[in-house]
Amino acid sequence: YSGLIYYNWAAERNVCSAPSVSDKTLLHIGFDFNVDPLVAGIATVVGDDIIFFDEIVINGSNTHEMCEEIQRRYPNNRIYAYPDSSGQARKTSSRTTDHAIMRNAGFVLKVKSVNPPVLDRIASVNANLLNAEGQARCFVTPNCKNIIRSLSQQVYKEGTRIPLKDGKIDHMGDAVGYLIHWINP
């Protein structure tokens, strides 16, 4: 396990069956903004437990498409979104921000002006996977293969405490981390 970022991950403890989700369920969605891929981890919160039960990965996408896909899957649910804070910046290619697009889609944004420090976000995820009292507070259903792959395989750059950003498994860990750090820091 040397170099693993999410060292508290254990499939036998953190993988669970799907929760009951209805149109009345408040959904919590962590986002990481990229063009390739744009990712979202979708969860419910029961007490102090965060249960990721769905994920979306869209290659060559944009925020409009991601919001449309979420609305297609969950047309009647209220949505709290936990995006990367960089989404508040306008880009030269757009007249609006990613955050404005999400608000216009009806999402309630839970985001600060800057992202939490990377090591703090990672510590939050690890503490929710297994805390000092031996309790798990973060669970993932088996169909969330990208979340599982990120939590079980992402490593640091050799000899550092800097996450390896390979563009394959790191984005989903970031998305999940934004949500977890906000709810259970």
Side-chain angles (χ1 to χ4, degrees):
Y1 294 109
S2 177
L4 278 178
I5 291 177
Y6 303 109
Y7 54 83
N8 277 347
W9 168 262
E12 58 277 359
R13 177 184 54 244
N14 298 109
V15 173
C16 69
S17 58
S20 175
V21 176
S22 73
D23 287 351
K24 294 185 182 356
T25 304
L26 173 62
L27 301 182
H28 300 265
I29 304 179
F31 290 88
D32 192 33
F33 298 113
N34 303 287
V35 174
D36 204 14
L38 181 61
V39 301
I42 304 168
T44 62
V45 176
V46 179
D48 289 332
D49 294 345
I50 300 169
I51 305 166
F52 288 93
F53 67 92
D54 196 7
E55 63 183 14
I56 302 172
V57 177
I58 307 176
N59 291 305
S61 186
N62 59 58
T63 305
H64 286 289
E65 287 181 4
M66 178 61 82
C67 290
E68 289 170 5
E69 178 60 19
I70 291 167
Q71 290 171 324
R72 185 189 69 73
R73 291 185 190 193
Y74 305 102
N76 301 311
N77 294 81
R78 185 164 179 196
I79 294 172
Y80 282 4
Y82 305 82
D84 180 344
S85 68
S86 69
Q88 66 192 331
R90 276 187 46 204
K91 297 176 177 61
T92 57
S93 60
S94 177
R95 295 176 188 235
T96 189
T97 68
D98 291 321
H99 288 180
I101 293 166
M102 297 170 82
R103 283 187 188 96
N104 289 339
F107 303 168
V108 175
L109 268 62
K110 303 288 187 178
V111 62
K112 296 181 179 171
S113 60
V114 296
N115 287 328
V118 172
L119 292 179
D120 288 355
R121 182 171 36 85
I122 289 169
S124 294
V125 174
N126 275 312
N128 281 272
L129 292 171
L130 183 67
N131 65 25
E133 288 80 40
Q135 302 165 318
R137 294 286 185 220
C138 177
F139 304 94
V140 182
T141 59
N143 60 301
C144 296
K145 297 189 183 320
N146 292 288
I147 294 174
I148 292 171
R149 188 168 54 237
S150 183
L151 294 177
S152 65
Q153 296 178 13
Q154 190 179 4
V155 296
Y156 291 107
K157 289 180 182 179
E158 190 171 338
T160 74
R161 296 285 291 173
I162 300 168
L164 179 63
K165 299 295 227 170
D166 66 359
K168 296 177 184 163
I169 64 171
D170 55 299
H171 298 303
M172 192 59 85
D174 292 345
V176 165
Y178 297 135
L179 185 156
I180 291 172
H181 188 271
W182 185 282
I183 295 174
N184 285 340

